[in-house]
Structure formats: C-alpha cells, structure tokens
C-alpha cells in the first residue's frame, strides 16, 4: 500500500509538473451568446461561440456544462482554427467553437461553466482556470424580446513594454444599449499596480508592473438603462430598476486573458517603435454591419517609423481570412474578409486586432460586426464640427420609415431633440458614447444615431437603422493668419489624456474676464504698453494641471524663426516685466510689457505647454522652474502630455509721440523712461542675423528699450546743450549791443551826465 501510495504521489507530481511546463498552454478565453430562439416544443435554443487562446494546440478545447439541469442537450459543431503565430514559432494561436444548447422553459436562469489546466507560467501563480457565464431567460418589456449579453474578446497574446504600459482599453459592447459594468472576477488574483475602470472597462497602470506574464480574469455584467419588467415562461415577472448596480445583472460573462510585460522600450512614442493605427482603421468599439451570404471587408492600417510591422494578430470569427500587405515608410495594411453564414444571422461578432513588430505591438483595437439577413441601411446626417463638440442634424424626410420612439445615441442616457422637420443632437467629444481615435496626423470623433424601421402587419423582425457621423481634426491646427488666430483653439489627443485643447487669448485688463473682440485683431499696441494674455486648457479630466514651460516672441508666426526673445524658459521667468497672476489649475494668466524687433512692426508670442496629472509629484508640472535642466526625463514615469506649442498674435505696433523729461523719484534718483531700476529689460539682437543662421541673445547685450532710452537721453542732452548754447549767445549778443549803445551815448553826453552813468553801470 505504501509503495502504491508513493507511486500515486509521484504520478501526481509529474502531472503537476506537466501542467506548469509542457501543457501550460492556456492564454485566456471568452464566450459570446447569440439571441435565443423558441422551439416548437416550447423549449429554447441558445447558441454561443467560445474563443480560446493558447499555445500550439488551440483546437483542444474543453467542453462546457450547464448547471442546475437547465440544458436538455449541448451540441457542439467542432473547433475551428482562427489565427496563429505567423513567425512559425508557435508562440500563440486562437480557435473558436460553436455550441447550441436546448433549454427548459421552466427555468429562469441559464448557467454555463467550463474549467481546465493550465495557465502559462505567470506572476500571479495561477494554474487552473474556470470559464463561466450566466443569463436571465426572461423577456424584456422594453425590447419585447430576450436579453443580449455583453460582447467581448481579446487577441491571443497581448504584450507591452514595461515603460509603455499605461492603459489597455477592452471591448465591452452591449447590443441592447445596456450599461456594462466591468470588474475583477470573484477569487481572481489581481496583478499588482493595475486598476480597472468599471464603467469604461479599461485597465490602467497605477505603478511599476513587473516584467513577465500577468493573468487577468474579468466579469462583464449588463444592467438596464431604464426601468424594465422581465417576464418568464412560467408566468412570473420581476422588476429591474434603471442603472441599479446592486441588483442582479441581466447577464454576466467572464473574460480571461494574459498580458506579457516586456523589458523597457525606452521610447514609447506611438508610431515610432510601437505601431500606431492610421486611416481607414475603424475606431475602438465601432459597430460595423455585415450581411448573410455577402462578403464583409474590414481594412486597418498601421505605421512604425523605427520598426518593421511583420504581421497583424487577429481575433475574429471562424472562416475570416486575413491579408497582410507591407508598404513603405514603416506602413502596413490588414484586410479581413468574411462571408457570414445563415447561422450567423443576428450575431454580434467581436473582432480584435493588433499590429505586430519583433519588439512589441500596437494598442489592441476591437470592433463589433453585427450580421443581418438584408443589407443594412445607412442614414445621412449633416454634421457641424466645433472646437469642443459635435452637432448633428437629420432631416426626417430623408428617413420616412424611421421609428422616432427608439431614437438614441451610442450612450442611451443622452437624449436627442426633434422638431417637425429635423432630429438634432449635440455632444462633447467625451460624452454620449463618442469614440475618440488617432488617425495618423488627425483625430476622429465618431458617434451614431440608431433606431428601427417602422413595423407593419407583415414585419415581425425590424431592421436596425444606423446613422453614423464623425468629425476629423488635425492634431495641431496650424494657423498662419494673425487676423484669425484669436478665433481658434488648439486640439490634441493622447492615450492617457484623451482629447484636450487649449485657447490662447489677449485681454484688455488684468481682470481676465472679457477677451479681446474679433474686430480688435490684429491688436494694436504701443511700445512699453502692458499686455494681458491668458492660456486655458480644455479637458474633461478632473485632476489635470496646466504648465507653461516656455514662451518666446518672434517677428512672425514661425516659432522656429532664428530671431526670437525668451520671456519664459524651462519654467523660469526670463523677463522681469512678466507677471503671473494666480488662477485655477487649468489656466495661466500673465502680463508683460510690449516690445518690438528691429525693422519689424509686429510680434507673435509662442508658448510651449504641458498638461499633467495634478496628483503626480514626478511630473514636469511639479518640477516648476529648472534653471539647469537635467537630461531629458522619460514621460513614462509620470502622467503628462507631450510638449505642445500654441501661438498668439500679432501685436501690431503703432507710432507714439514721446514726452521726454528727466524726473527725480522720492529717493532722489534719476528715472529714465524705457528702463526699470536702471537695468536692461528686453535683451535683443543688435542687428538682423545672416540668412539661415541661428542667433541667440548674448548676455549683457544692448536691448531695444536701452537703445530707446539711450537715444532719448542723448536727444534730451543735445537739446538742452543746444538751448543753453543759444541762450548764452543771445545773452552775449544782448550785452554787447547794449554796451555799444551806452558807449555811444556817453561820448555825446555832458561831463556831469557821464559821471552818473558810469557810477550806475559799476555799482
């Protein structure tokens, strides 16, 4: 018996070793349900697709089972291989299976479960895994049909350099428009220094994440966005309150995946070594449409200037074919083709993809492909793109069969308005489900209005009507006309900060309340006049801080002009007339005395600014003035944006007559106009530099105001000297003439008179 026990123990240890080594091939999985159907015998037919990620043997999927005896049968149709490692090393692969479950009508809840071994070796020490899903079988009062579960998936192998791991957005789409809550699954081991945004279903790094493989187990749950009643086949009903997260969800599905954190890449700039998606790549969480029996095509493009894109990794439905095309300048293109079959009708199929290089991969982009039996109808909308929002107007006459009772945006909590002729919607770039994506040098903001066709007596299923609309902005609005510059905003987008913008305005006084009106541009100023300027950051994020790193003046709107003058540099005030006013975190108000360049009558002000997380003590904003900047910091250490430039101007100078005098102040010191405390104020290049040369301002060099003061002082001195000289000449001439007259009179007068005159002259 002891020998048999020893042999059994040895066998178990060997099996355990195999689970962690050669058989450790589980990378994660996801389950996606299709709509329920009622059979003639009263039972339900519920179908689902199971995607499993792993290494080498992805076709060997484990079987699912129904809990509580709900299912009378589970019929699988085999496992299809969907994608694999294109390098031939067999590092990852993905498969998809399709299963039909027959469900008893007496049950109100359907539970699905599967488990197996083993996770690939990971930092969390996870070995066995469990996949599960739960669906309420009641009929919804708002849809007059069964509930649809959240749709989600990931690619087989996610990987990111340690210093580039900031956030990972995940797909969490609900076909019914319900609110989807993401949370870490019960009993899941959460990786250290990683948090989860439950509403946006986004993983965010909160600190340094160890290199190696990390396991994530999430639960996605949907809750109705309005009050509904669920009716069951046994005649019972239950009420669900809108957005009540404490109640039982309508459905819950488990998403499991792994992320390999690679050694640091040092430069995480998107498009450099990490590929960035370009047009016409669809936006994250976009809903696309396919038709049964017709070819559906999806095209994505990516670019990496300093790395070669070798392939695209794809998580998609079975029988979806991919074509990889390598272009020039680090560009590559992915083309996906898929012909949905009859059993795919009314399916919401997730499709995820990444662009792959030897070192890393792009962000993961996921969309949903909804399959219909007939061609999907697209509406046409008139869109107005404003600096901070989108407005869309749809003519009712163009969609006569549109059901006005079911109009909604991506976010059903946002409302649309309508009148007799039009449907109108307005939203900011970060609300109402608006998707924000980078498209090379552009930012795309996209949303859609959905509804149904009006029913008639012969139609049971109604087709979805989808009106897509979007706005496309350049990342930096390049403005050359000073006359229009006052009326423009600067719009940017970055991974950690989403979309944000800046305004740069001139104000008439230090209250900074009323901006200069449009008719005032270009702003006319006089030399030495005080100018009030303000920069404001526009972001929907609550804890951000604006930091003005540098400001300089140039004679035109070219910020790279070799003729320039530093006002602020490296966060330090370089000109003593610059005064910064206290303001809120997203505003920077300041004043300065106007100046001009030799041979130029206008000045443009360019400022370089950064937006930071106000709670970060390591950000550039927290460092402030750095008179001796150290080597360039790595932005990955703190949450902050890139350094952006904004321009304001021109300040147009007008002639001014000077009333010059030398005045003594209370201390008895002479004060000369154009100087403050008798020290130079604005240093300037003494003469125009040679063409093409870069000329900086030397220390102690003569400046415009000094030169002006010097000229004025010289003019005053010369004028006074000339006046004194003329006065002296006049006095000498006067007395000479007078003496001659007196001498002539004395010569002609009597002796007594001569004596009196002489005595009066010399008394």
């Amino acid at each position: 018996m002891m020998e048999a026990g020893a042999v059994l123990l040895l066998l178990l240890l060997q099996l355990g070793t195999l689970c962690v080594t050669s058989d450790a091939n589980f990378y994660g999985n996801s389950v996606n349900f299709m709509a329920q159907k009622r059979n003639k015998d009263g039972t339900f037919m519920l179908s689902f697709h199971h995607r499993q990620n792993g290494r080498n043997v992805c076709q060997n999927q484990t079987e699912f089972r129904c809990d509580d005896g709900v299912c009378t049968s589970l019929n699988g149709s085999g496992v299809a291989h969907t994608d694999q490692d294109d390098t031939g090393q067999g590092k990852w692969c993905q498969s998809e299976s399709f299963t039909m479950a027959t469900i008893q009508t007496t049950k109100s809840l359907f539970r699905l479960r599967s488990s197996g071994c083993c996770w690939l070796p990971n930092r969390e020490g996870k070995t066995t895994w469990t996949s599960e899903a739960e669906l309420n079988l009641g009929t919804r009062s708002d849809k007059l049909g069964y509930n649809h579960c959240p749709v989600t998936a990931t690619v087989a192998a996610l990987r990111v350099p340690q210093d580039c791991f900031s956030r990972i957005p995940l797909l969490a789409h609900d076909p019914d428009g319900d609110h989807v809550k993401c949370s870490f699954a019960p009993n899941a081991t959460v990786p250290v220094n990683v948090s989860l945004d439950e509403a946006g279903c986004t993983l965010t790094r909160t600190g340094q994440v160890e290199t190696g493989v990390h396991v994530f187990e999430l639960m996605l749950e949907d809750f109705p966005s309005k009050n509904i009643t669920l009716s069951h086949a046994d005649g019972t009903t239950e009420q669900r309150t809108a957005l009540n997260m404490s109640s039982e969800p309508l459905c819950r599905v488990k998403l499991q995946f792994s992320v390999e954190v690679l050694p640091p890449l040092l430069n995480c700039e998107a498009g450099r070594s990490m590929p960035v998606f370009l047009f016409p790549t669809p936006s994250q969480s976009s809903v696309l449409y396919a038709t049964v029996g017709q070819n559906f095509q999806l095209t994505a493009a990516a670019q990496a200037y300093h790395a070669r894109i070798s392939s695209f990794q794809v998580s998609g439905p079975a029988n979806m074919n991919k074509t990889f095309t390598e272009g020039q300048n680090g560009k590559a293109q992915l083309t996906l083709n898929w012909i949905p079959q009859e059993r795919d009708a009314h399916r919401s199929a997730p499709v995820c993809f990444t662009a792959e290089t030897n070192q890393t991969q792009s962000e993961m982009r996921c969309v949903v492909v909804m399959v219909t039996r007939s061609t999907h109808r697209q509406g046409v909308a008139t869109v107005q793109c404003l600096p901070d929002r989108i407005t869309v107007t749809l003519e009712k006459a163009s969609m006569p069969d549109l059901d006005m009772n079911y109009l909604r945006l991506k976010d059903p909590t946002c409302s649309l308005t309508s009148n007799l002729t039009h449907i109108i919607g307005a939203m900011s770039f970060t609300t109402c489900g608006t998707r924000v994506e980078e498209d090379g040098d552009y930012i795309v903001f996209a949303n859609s209005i959905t509804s149904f066709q009006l029913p008639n007596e012969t139609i049971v299923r109604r087709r979805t009507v989808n009106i897509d609309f979007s706005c496309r902005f350049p990342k930096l609005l390049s403005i050359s006309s000073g006359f229009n510059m006052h009326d423009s905003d600067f719009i940017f987008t970055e991974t950690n900060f989403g979309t944000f913008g800046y305004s740069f305005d001139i104000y008439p006084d230090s209250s900074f309340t009323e901006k200069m009106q449009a008719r005032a541009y270009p702003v006319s100023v006089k030399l030495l006049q005080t100018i009030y300027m303000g920069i404001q950051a526009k972001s929907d994020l609550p804890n951000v801080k604006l930091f003005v790193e540098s400001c300089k003046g140039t004679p035109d709107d070219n910020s790279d002009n070799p003729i320039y003058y530093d006002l602020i540099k490296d966060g330090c005030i370089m000109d003593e007339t610059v005064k910064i006013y206290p303001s809120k975190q997203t505003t920077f108000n300041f004043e300065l005395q106007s100046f001009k360049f030799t041979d130029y009558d206008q000045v443009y002000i360019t400022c370089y600014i950064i937006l930071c997380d106000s709670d970060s003590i390591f950000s550039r904003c927290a460092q402030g003035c750095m008179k001796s900047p150290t080597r360039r910091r790595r932005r990955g250490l703190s949450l902050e944006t890139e350094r952006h430039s904004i321009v304001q101007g021109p300040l147009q100078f007008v002639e001014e007559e000077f009333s010059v005098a030398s005045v003594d102040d209370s201390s008895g010191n002479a004060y000369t106009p154009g100087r403050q405390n008798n020290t130079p104020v604005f240093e300037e290049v003494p003469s125009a530099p040679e063409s093409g040369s870069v000329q900086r301002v030397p220390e102690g060099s003569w400046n415009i105001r000094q030169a002006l003061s010097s000229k004025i002082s010289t003019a005053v001195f010369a004028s006074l000297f000339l006046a004194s000289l003329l006065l002296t000449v006049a006095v000498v001439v006067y007395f000479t003439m007078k003496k001659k007259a007196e001498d002539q009179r004395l010569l002609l007068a009597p002796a007594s008179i001569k004596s009196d005159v002489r005595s009066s002259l010399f008394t």
Side-chain angles (χ1 to χ4, degrees), residues 58-59 61 77-83 94-98 318-319:
C58 284
Q59 286 85 349
Q61 291 197 8
S77 61
V79 179
H81 187 234
T82 58
D83 200 12
Q94 186 180 82
S95 61
E96 183 180 74
S97 64
F98 177 71
N319 303 321

Side-chain angles (χ1 to χ4, degrees), residues 333 353-354 385 408 431 466 486 497 500 540 711 735-736:
Q333 182 172 295
F353 47 90
T354 57
C385 301
R408 64 179 179 85
T431 58
N466 193 75
H486 67 282
F497 282 80
F500 53 94
D540 288 337
K711 290 178 181 179
F735 281 105
T736 302

Side-chain angles (χ1 to χ4, degrees), residues 42-179:
T43 60
F44 292 105
M45 183 66 70
L46 180 61
S47 304
F48 61 90
H49 293 83
H50 173 227
R51 291 188 193 171
Q52 183 165 307
N53 309 321
R55 182 196 299 269
N56 295 325
V57 287
C58 284
Q59 286 85 349
N60 298 338
Q61 291 197 8
T62 54
E63 294 184 356
F64 281 86
R65 66 180 184 274
C66 288
D67 289 348
D68 303 327
V70 174
C71 298
T72 59
S73 66
L74 275 174
N75 298 316
S77 61
V79 179
H81 187 234
T82 58
D83 200 12
Q84 65 181 5
D85 182 8
D86 291 334
T87 64
Q89 301 179 35
K91 292 182 178 180
W92 57 266
C93 58
Q94 186 180 82
S95 61
E96 183 180 74
S97 64
F98 177 71
T99 304
M100 293 183 294
T102 303
I103 305 171
Q104 298 180 27
T105 57
T106 56
K107 302 294 183 180
S108 60
L109 203 62
F110 169 76
R111 292 189 179 94
L112 193 68
R113 188 179 298 272
S114 177
S115 59
C117 183
C118 297
W119 280 100
L120 73 166
N122 56 84
R123 289 288 185 180
E124 286 67 46
K126 298 286 291 187
T127 54
T128 59
W129 56 271
T130 300
S131 181
E132 54 187 307
E134 183 178 287
L135 172 62
N136 191 299
L137 300 176
T139 302
R140 298 173 57 128
S141 60
D142 58 338
K143 304 292 182 181
L144 302 179
Y146 303 109
N147 184 68
H148 294 81
C149 291
V151 177
T152 187
T154 67
V155 296
L158 283 168
R159 54 198 180 106
V160 59
Q162 186 182 49
D163 54 340
C164 305
F165 184 0
S166 57
R167 59 195 296 271
I168 300 177
L170 302 168
L171 178 64
H173 171 78
D174 190 85
D176 296 322
D178 293 332
H179 176 79

Side-chain angles (χ1 to χ4, degrees), residues 661-665 669-678:
S662 179
V663 182
D664 288 340
D665 62 14
N669 297 322
Y671 168 77
T672 304
R675 297 171 67 87
Q676 292 192 0
N677 300 327
N678 287 331

Side-chain angles (χ1 to χ4, degrees), residues 135-136 138 140-143 145-151 172-182 198-199 220-228 230 240-245 248-252 408-413 450:
L135 172 62
N136 191 299
R140 298 173 57 128
S141 60
D142 58 338
K143 304 292 182 181
Y146 303 109
N147 184 68
H148 294 81
C149 291
V151 177
H173 171 78
D174 190 85
D176 296 322
D178 293 332
H179 176 79
V180 179
K181 173 187 174 182
C182 289
E198 294 188 347
L220 276 65
E221 302 170 317
D222 64 335
F223 299 85
S225 56
K226 56 184 176 181
N227 297 340
I228 65 170
L230 294 172
R240 293 300 173 87
T241 306
L243 301 176
N244 183 6
M245 305 302 174
E248 284 295 313
L250 301 174
C251 178
R252 54 164 56 100
R408 64 179 179 85
L409 289 162
K410 282 287 184 183
D411 182 351
T413 61
T450 60

